[in-house]
Amino acid sequence: MPTKKITYLVDGFNLYHSVRKAGKQLKASTKWLDLKSLCISMIHNFKPKADKLELENIYYFSAYAYHLNDPDMVQRHKSLVACLEDTGVKVEINRFKYKAIDCPFCNKTIPKYEEKETDVSIALKLQEIFIKDECDVAILVSGDTDLAPAVRLAIKLFPAKHTFFAFPAFRKNNELAKLCSGSITIKPKQYSKHQLPNPYILQNSSKIFKPASW
């Protein structure tokens, strides 16, 4: 049985909003997510034919919300990222972009911050991992339709590769589901099942404690 390599591309904010909603629904802790454990648990869902799958990489794309002027929020996020990196997840931190919006009703300029670089980063990484032959199967953990053009291009340029979606809970998108080799939707209970230990002990023996509000 041939072994196929699998790589996950994770839309951090799309996943976060799903995890947050799941926590409220379950009335359980879900934000201290062990992303690697979650991804490994889903591998069996993406087997092309009778091939054996082996995890190659997990890429996590996100950004720190400095514009909210909440240092504790940013630190909580950084604590989680440090744990994810320690488990072997490859993290790419992008940024929020300022955008001025002119209100037609009050004639005032309203400041708005949008996290837009993640979509582009995921789209480019999808092409990169196929070009470099890093993996045979790519799993996009997102329900963002902005990724549709990237998926179409990957399917066109790399017909021998497989692209799947693992939609975060409550974020399934039928348009994206029709584009790819297949899709699943993560169940809310999977988040509470795959949580990091508290405290998380890094490989250098230092400890990171789960934020009290999580």
Side-chain angles (χ1 to χ4, degrees):
M1 180 183 296
T3 299
K4 301 289 188 181
K5 294 181 179 180
I6 183 171
T7 288
Y8 285 85
L9 307 180
V10 182
D11 182 341
F13 276 102
N14 204 272
L15 178 62
Y16 170 76
H17 290 299
S18 168
V19 167
R20 186 179 179 184
K21 185 174 180 179
K24 292 180 179 179
Q25 183 187 83
L26 297 172
K27 296 182 180 179
S29 176
T30 52
K31 294 180 182 178
W32 199 231
L33 185 65
D34 187 338
L35 184 58
K36 183 176 182 179
S37 175
L38 175 65
C39 288
I40 290 174
S41 74
M42 297 189 293
I43 286 179
H44 69 278
N45 293 290
F46 306 111
K47 289 184 179 180
K49 299 181 180 179
D51 296 332
K52 179 181 178 181
L53 290 180
E54 177 182 274
L55 180 64
E56 182 67 15
N57 280 309
I58 300 171
Y59 294 94
Y60 171 84
F61 302 84
S62 193
Y64 297 130
Y66 291 110
H67 63 283
L68 296 179
N69 296 315
D70 186 342
D72 289 339
M73 176 186 292
V74 173
Q75 186 54 52
R76 291 194 295 269
H77 193 178
K78 286 185 175 181
S79 293
L80 176 63
V81 165
C83 294
L84 296 182
E85 288 182 314
D86 195 71
T87 66
V89 174
K90 297 183 178 181
V91 175
E92 182 170 323
I93 298 297
N94 298 299
R95 63 186 176 90
F96 282 87
K97 292 182 178 180
Y98 170 80
K99 183 178 181 180
I101 300 177
D102 295 323
C103 178
F105 304 104
C106 64
N107 295 318
K108 293 182 179 180
T109 299
I110 302 172
K112 184 179 181 182
Y113 289 85
E114 296 181 336
E115 201 282 303
K116 284 294 187 182
E117 292 185 0
T118 288
D119 299 335
V120 176
S121 295
I122 294 175
L124 292 175
K125 181 62 69 174
L126 176 61
Q127 313 309 319
E128 179 186 342
I129 61 177
F130 282 166
I131 289 171
K132 293 182 176 180
D133 199 27
E134 174 184 307
C135 64
D136 306 286
V137 180
I139 311 299
L140 303 181
V141 183
S142 179
D144 192 338
T145 54
D146 286 346
L147 295 175
V151 173
R152 293 191 188 98
L153 180 61
I155 292 172
K156 179 180 179 180
L157 296 180
F158 308 98
K161 304 289 188 179
H162 297 273
T163 303
F164 293 85
F165 272 94
F167 295 115
F170 319 111
R171 319 282 298 183
K172 181 178 180 179
N173 184 280
N174 290 329
E175 176 187 344
L176 295 177
K178 294 176 181 178
L179 287 179
C180 57
S181 301
S183 68
I184 66 167
T185 300
I186 302 171
K187 297 180 180 179
K189 287 185 178 180
Q190 289 178 263
Y191 297 142
S192 58
K193 182 179 179 181
H194 296 280
Q195 294 288 294
L196 293 163
N198 184 31
Y200 179 86
I201 302 176
L202 299 169
Q203 294 182 38
N204 63 11
S205 298
S206 61
K207 298 179 180 178
I208 296 181
F209 288 86
K210 174 183 175 180
S213 61
W214 284 14

